[in-house]
Amino acid sequence: MTELSHSTVMPTAEVPVAGRWRQLSLLGGTMLVDSTEASLVSSLFPLIRQSLGVSLGALGALTASGKIVGAFTGPFWVWAAQRWSRKSVLVVATGLWGVWGVAAGFSQTFAQLLVLYTVLAAGYAAAHPLITELIGDLFGGSSRGRAVGVVYGAVSLVSAGIGPLKGQLAGIDEGWRWGLWGIGAFNIVLGIALWIWFRDPGRGAAERQLADLDRATRDAHSKLTRDKVLSLLKIRSLVLLLISRLLSGHLLVGTFGVVFLVDVYGFSTQKAAIVLLPFGIGYFLGTLLGGVAADWATRRSPRHGLVAVLQAAQFVFALVAFFGTQFDYGSIALFGVFFALMGATQGVNPSVNRPMVMAITPPELRGAAFALYVSIFEAIAWATFSLGAGFLGDAIGLRTVFLWALVVLMLVNGAFLTLLYRPYADDVARVQRDLQARRDQALGHST
């Protein structure tokens, strides 16, 4: 195979979409509210346990139900967005769907809360695949990393900042209900804002080959069929990215970080929870750094740049996690520094892997690809690591679990990504050829 030019493999010429940053702010707000409400039940579970008289196992049931239902409804919402429109699905599923959060606040039994929270999570599963797909249509290849970094970073930073505010609800009688009512109502307001102000740019709007074609021509290939969805599994680099997601042991930090510091190094829960703020700030800075690095790497080495940045992030995380979890420093401040560094190296990932998925899939299949990547494979990884850490932590201790999951497995993940270099460049080139062929066909040119 002859070496393709950089412009063929990954075009760097930017195709600006009018009002793209304003549209991105609306999408980011939607993802933020969805993320906040999804984490509210976990953070206020002690109040729920006292109010409804349930055991600690009820928290596992709530969180697992949200992940499991999302694995089924995420792909459904992608199909619905193809059948109707992405804007209408987002307005309903991630905006007006907040009414189920309000209803959950009125739950009188755990069974009612479980059902209503599961329904709520079923709608919120639309957010990540559709919003990430839209970012790919709002921003071209040379700025997608920065756009993804801004969204994920802002969500992480604000979530970290409002974490203590959610904790203040503990001082209010039945405070968890007020939390669900308030965020649910705000989500409904945001859904109305999306309906009034959001403008879907259309699939392929930021692609160099398609940007100047009319929307009807660009949408001619947008019909989602079973064969098209199955064709995603024939994209070698996407399959490798999906497997890499299953090897992402760093997912444990956010869920078990606090209990790790309590059980292994003897900190109180209140003191251990302090590390969540530097972790969130680090994650925010990491997404911004990752976005800049991704866009720079794309321009510098269109064939291999993104893969190299993603691979480096896994190795650096493993190094930081080794020193940040396997030694007792006796100071929560020092642990806070390491958690900030772990957050930063983890935050690099979405700013790199999301643009990679966008680059290897045609515009009409990106939503389905992200449903696979986020709604299904990431959910499987999250559930597997969380359940596994719980059982193994009792058997061999969380310190050993963290050594294998955060250090050894992440080194394996980094080494595994070496397999991505050649197929990624080939898959990106294939998408670019297909888009150029569409353009030639639309303009009546011979290919």
Side-chain angles (χ1 to χ4, degrees), residues 214-246:
D214 63 87
R215 185 162 179 170
T217 301
R218 285 191 274 115
D219 287 344
H221 295 268
S222 64
K223 184 178 180 180
L224 197 62
T225 65
R226 180 175 176 272
D227 289 340
K228 284 184 177 181
V229 173
L230 290 177
S231 70
L232 288 171
L233 298 178
K234 297 179 182 178
I235 302 174
R236 292 176 297 167
S237 47
L238 178 60
V239 173
L240 291 173
L241 284 170
L242 293 175
I243 296 173
S244 174
R245 184 85 305 201
L246 297 178

Side-chain angles (χ1 to χ4, degrees), residues 47-73:
L47 300 181
I48 296 173
R49 177 168 55 182
Q50 181 180 5
S51 175
L52 301 181
V54 294
S55 67
L56 183 61
L59 176 59
L62 282 171
T63 53
S65 68
K67 294 294 182 181
I68 292 171
V69 75
F72 291 97
T73 58

Side-chain angles (χ1 to χ4, degrees), residues 226-374:
R226 180 175 176 272
D227 289 340
K228 284 184 177 181
V229 173
L230 290 177
S231 70
L232 288 171
L233 298 178
K234 297 179 182 178
I235 302 174
R236 292 176 297 167
S237 47
L238 178 60
V239 173
L240 291 173
L241 284 170
L242 293 175
I243 296 173
S244 174
R245 184 85 305 201
L246 297 178
L247 299 175
S248 299
H250 57 54
L251 295 173
L252 276 180
V253 177
T255 52
F256 276 79
V258 172
V259 70
F260 167 81
L261 292 174
V262 172
D263 289 358
V264 176
Y265 294 120
F267 290 102
S268 67
T269 301
Q270 291 83 354
K271 182 170 286 190
I274 293 174
V275 301
L276 294 179
L277 182 58
F279 178 82
I281 295 174
Y283 191 95
F284 165 70
L285 295 175
T287 57
L288 296 184
L289 175 63
V292 173
D295 293 341
W296 175 84
T298 298
R299 293 189 295 267
R300 183 76 175 177
S301 177
R303 292 181 62 84
H304 305 307
L306 285 177
V307 181
V309 174
L310 184 63
Q311 186 177 41
Q314 315 312 304
F315 288 136
V316 175
F317 179 90
L319 179 64
V320 173
F322 175 72
F323 288 102
T325 65
Q326 299 303 304
F327 300 93
D328 186 0
Y329 299 102
S331 167
I332 197 64
L334 283 176
F335 278 110
V337 171
F338 281 108
F339 268 74
L341 292 173
M342 283 190 283
T345 49
Q346 185 176 345
V348 170
N349 286 277
S351 301
V352 180
N353 56 37
R354 268 60 170 181
M356 290 178 71
V357 174
M358 295 174 191
I360 60 178
T361 53
E364 68 274 7
L365 288 181
R366 286 173 188 156
F370 283 115
L372 270 176
Y373 191 73
V374 179

Side-chain angles (χ1 to χ4, degrees), residues 26-106:
L26 285 170
L27 296 175
T30 300
M31 189 174 288
L32 169 64
V33 177
D34 294 347
S35 174
T36 301
E37 188 154 13
S39 65
L40 183 70
V41 169
S42 297
S43 60
L44 294 180
F45 181 75
L47 300 181
I48 296 173
R49 177 168 55 182
Q50 181 180 5
S51 175
L52 301 181
V54 294
S55 67
L56 183 61
L59 176 59
L62 282 171
T63 53
S65 68
K67 294 294 182 181
I68 292 171
V69 75
F72 291 97
T73 58
F76 165 77
W77 290 121
V78 171
W79 171 84
Q82 292 273 349
R83 177 65 176 81
W84 289 284
S85 72
R86 293 182 291 191
K87 176 179 177 177
S88 61
V89 168
L90 283 175
V91 168
V92 172
T94 69
L96 304 182
W97 207 263
V99 68
W100 294 105
V102 176
F106 288 100

